[in-house]
C-alpha cells in the first residue's frame, strides 16, 4: 500500500501533508524502478568492456569479470564509426545553431512586436509540436529528392530546422517575464530592435536559451526516422543509423562487445549534457506538462 | 509594468520588424510541416515513384481497404494504445504519489534524475541495448531466467512475446518522464486543499482518487495525449530495431507499415493514402480525448 498522508494525525502534524506511513515501502518500489531504468545502461557498460568469451559465459553478473578496452578498437575496425561520429556531430551542431537562431528571432518577434494575425501565426508555430511525423515523412522526402539532397547533410538539416515550436513556446514565455522598465530604458537610450535583443533580452533569458540549445542538440543527435530515410549511403550515415545497420550486420556473428562499445559512444554526448544541466532540463519539462 | 504592456505602447512602428523576425521560421514550417499535409493528400491519389506520379483517383484507398496487412497494422496500433496508454498513465501516477511525501530534497532529486534519464537517451540506440538484453543466446534476460531456474526464450521471435517486448521497452522510455510530470503537478497542489479534504474525513485512497486526480487533470490529459502519439509514432524506432514489424506483423504499427510501403517498396501513392488515413485517425482520437476530457478536466 502506498501512502502519503496520515489521516489520523493531530492538527499540528497534519499541516505536514508530506507524511509517510510506510516510507520504506515507497523507497523499495522507487529504488526498484530506478534499477530497472538504469539496468540497460549498466548492461551496455558491462558488455562494452567484456572480452568476447566473458560476454556470454558470465551468467547473470552485472559486473565485468575481466575488463578490457579491446572492443573499442575492434568496433572501429568493423565500421566507419569515426566518420559516423563526425557526421552526427556536424549535423547536430548545424541543426542546433540554425534552430536556435530561428527560435530566438521568432520568440523575440512574438514577444515584443505587433503585426497582423499575430495570434494565428503564433498558434501555427506552436502547433507544429503535434503534427504527426507520419504526414511529413513522404512529402518531405519527395521535396528532398527534387532538390537532389538525398544522402547529403543538408537533406537532413534543412527540414529539421522547421521544428522549432517547442523552443519558440518556451522562449517567448521567458521573454514576456522581462520587466518593461528595462526595455524602455534601452529605448530611451536610442537602442534599435537589434541592440535591445543583444544587450537586454538575450542576457536576461540566457538560462532558457541554454536549456533550449541543449534540448535541440540532444534531439538532433538522437534523431532516427528522418536521417534513416535521407541517408542511405554508409559513409553519410549518422551514428545512430550506422549503429543500427552495424547491429543488423553483426547480429548473426553475435559481436555484442563491439556493438555495446559503439552504443556507449553514441549515448555519451547526450548523457554528458544531461549531467551538466539536468536540474534546468527537468524543471523545464516538468513545467511544460503542468497546464496541458 | 510588464513586457506585454510595453509592446502595446510601441506597436505602431514595429509591424515590419516583427514580421521580418518571425518570417524565416514560419517559411520553413510552411514548407516542411504544413504544406506536406496538402501534398500528402494530393500524393495519395497518385501512382508512381519519388520523381513522377500519375493521377489514379481513389484506387489507393480501395486497395488499402482490401489489404489485410493494413488492417492488421491498424489493429496492432489499437492494441498498443489499449495496453501502453493505461500503463504509462497509471503507473507513474502511483510512483509520483510515492515521491511526493519524501522529505529529503536530495533523495527526491536523485530519484528524479534517474527516472528522467531515458527521456534524453537516443531511443533507437537504446533499442540496440534491448536487442542484446532480449538476445536468446547469453542475453541478460535469459541469463537471469537461467539463474532463477526458468526456461530461456526467443523473446523477439515469438508472436506471443514480441509485442510485449515492445511494450516493455516503451514503458521503460515513458514511465519515468510521466512520473516527473505528475510529481511536478502534485507539488503545485496547494496544501490547504489537501488539508480541507482531510478535515472532511477523506481517507488516503479517497484523496488520491478524487482530489489529486481532479487537481492535476490537465497533466493527466497531457500524458494521455502524448502517450497516444508515442505509440502511433515514436515507437517506430523500437519496432525497426527490435522486430522489424515481425514476427508475422504482430508488432507492426501504422507508421511502420507506411514506412515500409514508402521506403522499401517505393509505393508513394499508397503510402500517402496510409498517412492520410492515419492522420484522420490520430486527429479523431486526440479530438475524442480532448472532448471527453472537457467534462473531467479542470483548469483553474
Amino acid at each position: 500500500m502506498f501512502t502519503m498522508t496520515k489521516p489520523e494525525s493531530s492538527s499540528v502534524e497534519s499541516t505536514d501533508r508530506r507524511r509517510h506511513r510506510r516510507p520504506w515501502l515507497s523507497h523499495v518500489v522507487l529504488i526498484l524502478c530506478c534499477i530497472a531504468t538504469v539496468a540497460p545502461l549498466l548492461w551496455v557498460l558491462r558488455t562494452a568492456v567484456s572480452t568476447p568469451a566473458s560476454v556470454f559465459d558470465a551468467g547473470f553478473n552485472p559486473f565485468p569479470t575481466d575488463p578490457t578496452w579491446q572492443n573499442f578498437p575492434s568496433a572501429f575496425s568493423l565500421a566507419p564509426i569515426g566518420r559516423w561520429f563526425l557526421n552526427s556531430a556536424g549535423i547536430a551542431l548545424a541543426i542546433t545553431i540554425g534552430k536556435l537562431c530561428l527560435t530566438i528571432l521568432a520568440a523575440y518577434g512574438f514577444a515584443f512586436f505587433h503585426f497582423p494575425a499575430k495570434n494565428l501565426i503564433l498558434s501555427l508555430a506552436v502547433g507544429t509540436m503535434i503534427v504527426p511525423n507520419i504526414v511529413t515523412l513522404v512529402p518531405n522526402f519527395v521535396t528532398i529528392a527534387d532538390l537532389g539532397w538525398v544522402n547529403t547533410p543538408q537533406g537532413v538539416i534543412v527540414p529539421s530546422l522547421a521544428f522549432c515550436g517547442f523552443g519558440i513556446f518556451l522562449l517567448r514565455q521567458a521573454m514576456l517575464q522581462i520587466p518593461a522598465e528595462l526595455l524602455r530604458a534601452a529605448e530611451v537610450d536610442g537602442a534599435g530592435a537589434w541592440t535591445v535583443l543583444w544587450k537586454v533580452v538575450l542576457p536576461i533569458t540566457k538560462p532558457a536559451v541554454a536549456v533550449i540549445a541543449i534540448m535541440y542538440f540532444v534531439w538532433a543527435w538522437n534523431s532516427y526516422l528522418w536521417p534513416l530515410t535521407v541517408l542511405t549511403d554508409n559513409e553519410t550515415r549518422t551514428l545512430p543509423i550506422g549503429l543500427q545497420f552495424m547491429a543488423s550486420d553483426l547480429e548473426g556473428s553475435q559481436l555484442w562487445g563491439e556493438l555495446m562499445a559503439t552504443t556507449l559512444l553514441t549515448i555519451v554526448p547526450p548523457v554528458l549534457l544531461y549531467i551538466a544541466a539536468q536540474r534546468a532540463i527537468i524543471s523545464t519539462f516538468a513545467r511544460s506538462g503542468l497546464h496541458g | 509594468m510588464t513586457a506585454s504592456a510595453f509592446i502595446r505602447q510601441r506597436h505602431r512602428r514595429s509591424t515590419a520588424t516583427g514580421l521580418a523576425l518571425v518570417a524565416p521560421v514560419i517559411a520553413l514550417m510552411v514548407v516542411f510541416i504544413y504544406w506536406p499535409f496538402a501534398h500528402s493528400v494530393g500524393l495519395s491519389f497518385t501512382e508512381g515513384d519519388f520523381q513522377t506520379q500519375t493521377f489514379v483517383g481513389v484506387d489507393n484507398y480501395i486497395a488499402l481497404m482490401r489489404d489485410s496487412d493494413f488492417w492488421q497494422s491498424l489493429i496492432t496500433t489499437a492494441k498498443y494504445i489499449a495496453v501502453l496508454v493505461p500503463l504509462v498513465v497509471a503507473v507513474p501516477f502511483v510512483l509520483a504519489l510515492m515521491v511526493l511525501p519524501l522529505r529529503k530534497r536530495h533523495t527526491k532529486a536523485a530519484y528524479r534524475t534517474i527516472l528522467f534519464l531515458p527521456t534524453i537517451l537516443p531511443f533507437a540506440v537504446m533499442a540496440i541495448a534491448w536487442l542484446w538484453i532480449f538476445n536468446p543466446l547469453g542475453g541478460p534476460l535469459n541469463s537471469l531466467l537461467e539463474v532463477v531456474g526458468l526456461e530461456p526464450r526467443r523473446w523477439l521471435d515469438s508472436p506471443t512475446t514480441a509485442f510485449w517486448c515492445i511494450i516493455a521497452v516503451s514503458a521503460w522510455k515513458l514511465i519515468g518522464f510521466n512520473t516527473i510530470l505528475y510529481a511536478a503537478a502534485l507539488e503545485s497542489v496547494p496544501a490547504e486543499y489537501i488539508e480541507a479534504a482531510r478535515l472532511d474525513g477523506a481517507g488516503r485512497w479517497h484523496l488520491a482518487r478524487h482530489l489529486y486526480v481532479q487537481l492535476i487533470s490537465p497533466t493527466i490529459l497531457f500524458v494521455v495525449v502524448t502517450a497516444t502519439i508515442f505509440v502511433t509514432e515514436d515507437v517506430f524506432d523500437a519496432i525497426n530495431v527490435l522486430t522489424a514489424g515481425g514476427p508475422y506483423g504482430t508488432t507492426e504499427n501504422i507508421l511502420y507499415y507506411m514506412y515500409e510501403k514508402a521506403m522499401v517498396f517505393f509505393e508513394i501513392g499508397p503510402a500517402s493514402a496510409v498517412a492520410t488515413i492515419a492522420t484522420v485517425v490520430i486527429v479523431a482520437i486526440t479530438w475524442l480525448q480532448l472532448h471527453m476530457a472537457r467534462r473531467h478536466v479542470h483548469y483553474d
Side-chain angles (χ1 to χ4, degrees):
Chain A
M1 179 105 193
F2 55 91
T3 160
M4 76 310 238
T5 57
K6 199 181 177 191
E8 71 275 25
S9 55
S10 77
S11 60
V12 180
E13 272 178 336
S14 63
T15 47
D16 184 12
R17 72 188 163 112
R18 295 174 164 77
R19 203 163 171 74
H20 252 279
R21 178 179 277 181
R22 260 168 255 155
W24 58 268
L25 193 58
S26 292
H27 282 294
V28 169
V29 174
L30 288 168
I31 287 170
L32 283 176
C33 283
C34 288
I35 292 173
T37 302
V38 294
L41 286 179
L42 288 182
W43 236 271
V44 170
L45 200 63
R46 183 235 184 273
T47 311
V49 297
S50 295
T51 56
S54 69
V55 164
F56 295 104
D57 295 347
F60 188 78
N61 176 6
F63 303 100
T65 40
D66 89 84
T68 166
W69 293 111
Q70 74 175 53
N71 290 319
F72 291 88
S74 170
F76 274 78
S77 71
L78 285 167
I81 291 166
R83 177 77 225 211
W84 293 341
F85 198 98
L86 290 178
N87 291 342
S88 265
I91 287 175
L93 275 176
I95 291 176
T96 307
I97 293 167
K99 279 173 75 175
L100 204 57
C101 294
L102 292 164
T103 301
I104 289 170
L105 293 181
Y108 184 49
F110 283 122
F112 298 124
F113 295 86
H114 265 288
F115 45 86
K118 187 167 112 171
N119 287 337
L120 175 72
I121 299 176
L122 177 63
S123 28
L124 274 180
V126 175
T128 56
M129 276 195 277
I130 54 158
V131 171
N133 270 322
I134 198 167
V135 206
T136 54
L137 188 77
V138 171
N140 280 347
F141 191 80
V142 173
T143 306
I144 293 302
D146 282 344
L147 292 165
W149 284 358
V150 176
N151 256 321
T152 64
Q154 64 267 33
V156 179
I157 295 165
V158 176
S160 306
L161 296 180
F163 293 83
C164 291
F166 178 79
I168 291 173
F169 172 76
L170 278 183
L171 192 55
R172 177 182 162 272
Q173 297 286 91
M175 286 181 177
L176 289 176
Q177 310 295 319
I178 298 175
E181 289 73 25
L182 279 176
L183 299 171
R184 184 148 355 83
E187 289 255 295
V188 169
D189 291 347
W194 193 247
T195 319
V196 172
L197 175 62
W198 272 109
K199 294 279 159 74
V200 183
V201 175
L202 278 184
I204 296 179
T205 53
K206 218 193 275 167
V209 173
V211 171
I212 291 167
I214 288 173
M215 287 320 299
Y216 279 173
F217 183 86
V218 170
W219 282 331
W221 181 271
N222 293 354
S223 73
Y224 180 69
L225 179 56
W226 183 242
L228 174 74
T229 309
V230 176
L231 306 171
T232 49
D233 188 31
N234 201 32
E235 284 288 306
T236 63
R237 282 179 181 138
T238 57
L239 199 43
I241 314 302
L243 174 57
Q244 193 235 312
F245 278 88
M246 188 177 161
S248 38
D249 289 347
L250 295 187
E251 218 190 328
S253 46
Q254 299 279 313
L255 292 172
W256 292 105
E258 283 82 351
L259 279 174
M260 290 302 110
T262 317
T263 301
L264 189 60
L265 285 178
T266 312
I267 62 181
V268 161
V271 168
L272 286 181
L273 285 171
Y274 178 61
I275 292 170
Q278 49 106 355
R279 285 182 115 206
I281 293 171
I282 292 177
S283 68
T284 302
F285 275 92
R287 267 184 279 121
S288 75
L290 273 188
H291 303 291
Chain B
M1 182 160 133
T2 61
S4 50
F6 176 75
I7 46 176
R8 252 176 271 130
Q9 293 181 349
R10 52 171 290 188
H11 73 272
R12 263 171 296 120
R13 57 204 172 81
S14 55
T15 301
T17 323
L19 277 174
L21 287 167
V22 302
V25 79
I26 297 297
L28 280 165
M29 284 172 169
V30 168
V31 172
F32 292 110
I33 303 176
Y34 285 111
W35 158 241
F37 259 119
H39 196 181
S40 180
V41 175
L43 285 170
S44 73
F45 297 111
T46 67
E47 201 178 62
D49 56 20
F50 287 111
Q51 267 77 43
T52 49
Q53 299 97 22
T54 49
F55 184 78
V56 293
V58 292
D59 285 7
N60 292 325
Y61 289 93
I62 293 170
L64 275 183
M65 293 303 125
R66 294 186 182 139
D67 183 353
S68 61
D69 289 348
F70 170 70
W71 288 107
Q72 196 189 351
S73 75
L74 270 186
I75 291 166
T76 306
T77 308
K79 273 171 67 187
Y80 279 127
I81 295 178
V83 177
L84 193 68
V85 174
L87 187 72
V88 301
V89 168
V91 173
F93 188 72
V94 176
L95 293 176
L97 287 177
M98 292 179 167
V99 173
L100 186 68
L102 297 180
R103 280 196 184 153
K104 291 191 182 118
R105 281 184 56 232
H106 292 295
T107 328
K108 252 187 189 181
Y111 284 138
R112 223 171 274 179
T113 304
I114 293 175
L115 289 173
F116 193 81
L117 197 56
T119 311
I120 58 103
L121 292 170
F123 191 42
V125 173
M126 288 311 292
I128 294 170
W130 283 98
L131 194 64
W132 164 228
I133 291 172
F134 291 129
N135 195 48
L137 179 72
L141 182 58
N142 275 349
S143 309
L144 177 66
L145 289 181
E146 237 171 296
V147 171
V148 193
L150 290 168
E151 282 291 299
R153 303 187 71 150
R154 303 184 65 86
W155 298 99
L156 297 169
D157 298 334
S158 146
T160 49
T161 52
F163 175 82
W164 295 100
C165 291
I166 304 286
I167 292 286
V169 174
S170 305
W172 170 82
K173 164 98 180 162
L174 291 178
I175 282 177
F177 181 64
N178 291 346
T179 303
I180 282 152
L181 289 186
Y182 284 142
L186 287 172
E187 298 224 322
S188 71
V189 172
E192 307 88 72
Y193 285 24
I194 311 300
E195 208 41 46
R198 189 125 23 86
L199 289 176
D200 288 345
R204 272 170 274 128
W205 266 111
H206 188 86
L207 265 181
R209 278 210 343 264
H210 298 278
L211 197 63
Y212 281 136
V213 167
Q214 216 170 73
L215 287 172
I216 70 162
S217 50
T219 306
I220 298 177
L221 176 65
F222 179 83
V223 168
V224 170
V225 171
T226 50
T228 311
I229 293 174
F230 181 90
V231 289
T232 43
E233 300 261 319
D234 309 73
V235 75
F236 174 91
D237 301 13
I239 297 172
N240 198 34
V241 171
L242 290 170
T243 64
Y248 313 110
T250 47
T251 58
E252 182 172 285
N253 78 343
I254 187 78
L255 176 56
Y256 195 89
Y257 176 81
M258 186 208 71
Y259 182 84
E260 256 194 343
K261 267 220 172 327
M263 296 301 155
V264 180
F265 305 113
F266 301 113
E267 296 176 6
I268 301 311
S272 299
V274 177
T276 308
I277 293 173
T279 307
V280 171
V281 173
I282 293 170
V283 170
I285 291 173
T286 310
W287 181 83
L288 201 69
Q289 287 168 342
L290 295 175
H291 184 77
M292 284 177 6
R294 209 176 295 158
R295 254 179 291 158
H296 304 289
V297 173
H298 305 267
Y299 298 92
D300 30 32

